Amino acid sequence: MSKSKNPFCIKTIFKKIFLGFGLFLIICFLLLGVFYFDHKNKSELVEKEWNLRKIPIPLQIGTTETLSILPLINWHGSNSDLKMELGVSYLIKIDNHNILFDLGQNKLEEDPSPLERNMRLLKIDQNDIDSIFISHGHFDHVGGRRWEKENSFSFGNHQRDLSNKLIFASSALQYPGAVVKEIQEPSRLFEGAASLGPIPRKLFIGRIDEQALVINVKNKGLVIISGCGHQTLPKILQRVKESFSEPIYGIIGDLHYPVPSGRLNILGLNAQLLFASGSDPFKPISSEEIDSEINSLKELNLGAIGLGGHDSSDEVITKFKETFGQKFHTILVGKWIHIAQTFKTK
Ligand SMILES: [Zn+2]
Ligand SMILES: [Zn+2]
């Protein structure tokens, strides 16, 4: 009579667990491999799309005599009554327009949201804002994950009436009762202001098309305002060169320099660095690449430069501060950055 194996024997149980775990690991590696090669393929297609882009006739957008920027949401702040978070939002004042650039993150779905609260404390009335410019559809720029999922945006938990605003987005976003103009190429928005047009990028977490705002300041030149900087600095500068005949005077906002580490930690992983910088998680942006981009900015002899802490580390911000000295503006929620000022602020 043959001796049958006891299924409850410790040795058999361990063997089963070991085999099950091994199988699980193999499936994970296979899935990761499929995801990685799909990412590589899509990255190549996006690069091809960029190389085949239409080069526009340089835009004539007119000028503004004034330009002041007030950070409403960012990582660092000027006083502790204001709320800071991972998101981005700026109020941009030019001669005849008050533009709201992005709408923050509202991670905890607070009511009022950090953006609404800061606007109230800084005495910014929604009625004074005539246009909304959305750099891209990520949750930290459209007012939260809920609105990102709905392909929409909001100041806070409740969508206000925005029917009287000019709204410009880099992808097909929807908003109840309002017209959202999807920008598809470098375009004049109104006197003195333009969109740089969406620049595509395949991040490990998916494709994103981001636009920067360009303001043409009289007797100074172009000031680029950047949301997340997913486009990468070389492509932003290339697009400006192709689309405008004026020189670049400044660049203010957020570029993507989360080195040595970013602000977003998911399951112990440095998410901004691994999944949203460089070409893939095995080749994220390096210090050397950042140094070379700083050098390309130095060559432009800029009159103003500001780098936010939204997706750049404090180490990189310090490097910018040391490199650009007096020309550098620290981006702090609640602290005006005056590029060309003719009005008084408190
Ligand atoms: Zn983003
Ligand atoms: Zn961002």
Side-chain angles (χ1 to χ4, degrees), residues 136 138 140-141 228 230:
H136 64 299
H138 278 163
D140 44 339
H141 298 257
C228 225
H230 291 309

Side-chain angles (χ1 to χ4, degrees), residues 151-176:
N151 214 25
S152 191
F153 52 91
S154 183
F155 281 71
N157 289 349
H158 313 285
Q159 287 187 309
R160 308 156 173 221
D161 177 15
L162 299 180
S163 56
N164 61 349
K165 315 275 183 227
L166 294 165
I167 307 174
F168 308 102
S170 61
S171 56
L173 300 185
Q174 318 284 332
Y175 196 93

Side-chain angles (χ1 to χ4, degrees), residues 30 43 55 63 73 84-85 92 122 132 165 236 249 266 274 324 330 334:
L30 282 175
S43 300
I55 310 289
T63 58
I73 290 290
M84 272 60 80
E85 60 169 8
I92 296 159
L122 295 164
I132 298 175
K165 315 275 183 227
I236 291 176
Y249 177 77
I266 300 175
L274 295 175
F324 297 102
T330 306

Side-chain angles (χ1 to χ4, degrees), residues 258-259 270 272-287 289:
V259 176
N270 188 351
Q272 283 178 324
L273 180 70
L274 295 175
F275 306 131
S277 88
S279 57
D280 60 64
F282 303 106
K283 210 167 170 275
I285 191 164
S286 65
S287 265
E289 282 169 279

Side-chain angles (χ1 to χ4, degrees), residues 64-68 93 217-218 220 337-343:
T64 174
E65 289 188 10
T66 59
L67 169 59
S68 290
K93 279 174 91 75
V217 183
K218 197 173 178 181
K220 289 186 189 286
I337 296 170
H338 297 295
I339 304 291
Q341 181 193 10
T342 58
F343 76 98

